[in-house]
């Protein structure tokens, strides 16, 4: 049985959890009251960390934009990576990427950090780590210098985004402390 087949019964729940988290992050970052809705925990190299309230619980998030984005496209929306804790929902270390375009249905996004490679499942414009891979991805990000995210749009355009991991460890420790994550 493949990983996809094994996860099909829980995939809709996982996708909805991640979409809720990603959508919440997007709303916070783009809302006019952004400065009032969140509490900045600081900037750490190329990463920003903050907390905000949603659904009666605190969310702790760190996010970064790519240093470089490549692809033969004329228009692309916001691009960013994030790690989020939602302790009230029992979710910690959620790893995701906003690709800035609708991702080709049924495709996987590729994440590479050093020599480590991960497949990310996709939905809409988001790419997300499998829950079982999240702890290893976060540890690899903490030890890495850069990461590359490669995806394919619904139009067949291949993109390659390169992120700096400078400040990742400090930002991660900060959101862990803020949300009480060991």
């Amino acid at each position: 049985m493949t990983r996809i087949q094994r996860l099909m019964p829980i995939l809709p729940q996982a996708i909805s959890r991640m979409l809720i988290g990603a959508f919440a992050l997007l709303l916070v970052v783009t809302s006019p009251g952004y400065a009032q809705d969140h509490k900045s925990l600081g900037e750490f190299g190329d990463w920003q960390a903050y907390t905000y309230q949603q659904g009666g619980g605190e969310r702790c998030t760190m996010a970064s934009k790519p240093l470089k984005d490549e692809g033969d496209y004329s228009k692309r929306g916001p691009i960013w990576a994030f790690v989020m804790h939602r302790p009230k929902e029992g979710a910690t270390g959620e790893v995701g990427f906003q690709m800035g375009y609708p991702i080709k249905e049924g495709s996987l996004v590729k994440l590479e950090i050093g020599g480590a490679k991960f497949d990310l499942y996709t939905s809409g414009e988001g790419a997300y780590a499998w829950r079982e891979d999240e702890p290893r991805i976060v540890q690899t990000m903490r030890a890495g210098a850069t990461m590359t995210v490669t995806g394919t749009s619904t139009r067949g355009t291949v993109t390659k985004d390169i992120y700096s991991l400078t400040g990742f460890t400090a930002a991660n420790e900060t959101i862990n402390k803020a949300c009480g994550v060991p």
Side-chain angles (χ1 to χ4, degrees):
M1 184 178 291
T2 68
R3 179 186 246 182
I4 298 279
Q5 290 169 325
R6 192 176 72 236
L7 292 172
M8 283 309 287
I10 62 167
L11 197 53
Q13 293 173 351
I15 289 173
S16 64
R17 270 198 320 266
M18 291 301 290
L19 286 175
I20 290 167
F23 184 67
L25 179 63
L26 184 61
L27 285 176
V28 169
V29 172
T30 60
S31 71
Y34 175 60
Q36 298 166 351
D37 294 335
H38 85 292
K39 175 185 173 194
S40 175
L41 299 174
E43 291 187 25
F44 305 89
D46 293 310
W47 290 80
Q48 296 180 4
Y50 52 92
T51 62
Y52 61 97
Q53 296 290 318
Q54 184 175 14
E58 185 167 45
R59 309 260 172 129
C60 301
T61 304
M62 53 189 285
S64 182
K65 293 183 177 188
L67 295 175
K68 185 176 183 183
D69 56 284
E70 301 173 353
D72 186 20
Y73 54 85
S74 58
K75 184 179 175 186
R76 191 165 175 196
I79 313 164
W80 39 268
F82 70 90
V83 175
M84 179 187 297
H85 298 320
R86 297 180 294 130
K88 182 178 178 188
E89 290 92 356
T92 59
E94 293 178 314
V95 177
F97 298 87
Q98 171 67 26
M99 299 299 289
Y101 56 77
I103 301 166
K104 181 179 177 181
E105 190 171 328
S107 70
L108 296 174
V109 166
K110 305 292 184 180
L111 169 63
E112 186 171 351
I113 308 162
K117 296 179 181 182
F118 304 91
D119 288 331
L120 307 173
Y121 69 89
T122 63
S123 179
E125 293 191 6
Y128 310 101
W130 302 95
R131 183 163 298 282
E132 67 220 34
D133 290 340
E134 288 172 335
R136 198 176 88 183
I137 290 173
V138 169
Q139 285 306 312
T140 305
M141 291 167 90
R142 288 173 66 101
T146 61
M147 67 180 172
T148 303
V149 180
T150 306
T152 305
S153 76
T154 54
R155 294 181 176 181
T157 304
V158 176
T159 62
K160 182 174 162 182
D161 303 322
I162 301 166
Y163 290 85
S164 166
L165 294 170
T166 300
F168 182 91
T169 298
N172 189 240
E173 289 172 355
T174 299
I175 67 167
N176 289 352
K177 182 177 179 183
C179 269
V181 174

